[in-house]
Amino acid sequence: MFREPRLRKLVKIEILRDGRGPVDAFVRNLSSFGLCARSAEIPVSGETISIRKEGFGELRATVRWTSATEFGVQFAERINVDNFNFGQQNKDGHFVREIDNGHVWKGFKHEVSTRRPGLRSS
């Protein structure tokens, strides 16, 4: 079975649950079909939530799994991952502003992962 690679990200979002919220959460990894996020308030598996990101808008998602501090969702419709990135890319496509001397801090490089939470290889 093919599983789309996840892009490791650190992006702030807000989650809204049945009119409650917004509650801050931070995306850990992302694909065009879903994401993994960390939050102080964890939704219930099977629950439908709204995810709001500044500069992107709002989308519906279903919670597929939860842990003590993280949860994973599947989007109601496929998204363009490039549009979900940080809103302030500089001219070189990096997600932070240039420093006064013209350099860009490159400490946050994305990685691709196909790791599945809860599954262990023997």
Side-chain angles (χ1 to χ4, degrees), residues 54-118:
E54 184 178 342
F56 183 82
E58 193 171 308
L59 62 131
R60 303 289 287 169
T62 302
V63 179
R64 293 296 179 200
W65 61 267
T66 63
S67 71
T69 58
E70 294 181 337
F71 61 95
V73 300
Q74 180 180 2
F75 300 136
E77 57 188 59
R78 186 180 188 147
I79 67 162
N80 181 337
V81 175
D82 294 331
N83 293 341
F84 203 82
N85 271 319
F86 295 90
Q88 299 177 344
Q89 293 185 9
N90 67 22
K91 67 180 187 257
D92 296 320
H94 297 286
F95 306 122
V96 293
R97 293 190 182 118
E98 291 182 1
I99 303 170
D100 291 337
N101 63 9
H103 293 284
V104 174
W105 186 69
K106 299 178 182 178
F108 292 113
K109 293 182 182 178
H110 76 271
E111 296 177 25
V112 176
S113 171
T114 57
R115 179 183 164 275
R116 296 184 79 155

Side-chain angles (χ1 to χ4, degrees), residues 9-86:
K9 297 288 178 186
L10 182 59
V11 179
K12 181 181 176 270
I13 59 172
E14 296 176 323
I15 56 173
L16 299 104
R17 303 170 58 199
D18 291 328
R20 295 182 290 164
V23 174
D24 288 343
F26 293 91
V27 174
R28 302 285 310 272
N29 64 57
L30 172 71
S31 76
S32 59
F33 295 103
L35 61 79
C36 167
R38 179 177 290 260
S39 178
E41 183 178 313
I42 304 297
V44 178
S45 186
E47 181 178 4
T48 300
I49 63 172
S50 291
I51 294 174
R52 185 185 310 157
K53 183 191 175 306
E54 184 178 342
F56 183 82
E58 193 171 308
L59 62 131
R60 303 289 287 169
T62 302
V63 179
R64 293 296 179 200
W65 61 267
T66 63
S67 71
T69 58
E70 294 181 337
F71 61 95
V73 300
Q74 180 180 2
F75 300 136
E77 57 188 59
R78 186 180 188 147
I79 67 162
N80 181 337
V81 175
D82 294 331
N83 293 341
F84 203 82
N85 271 319
F86 295 90

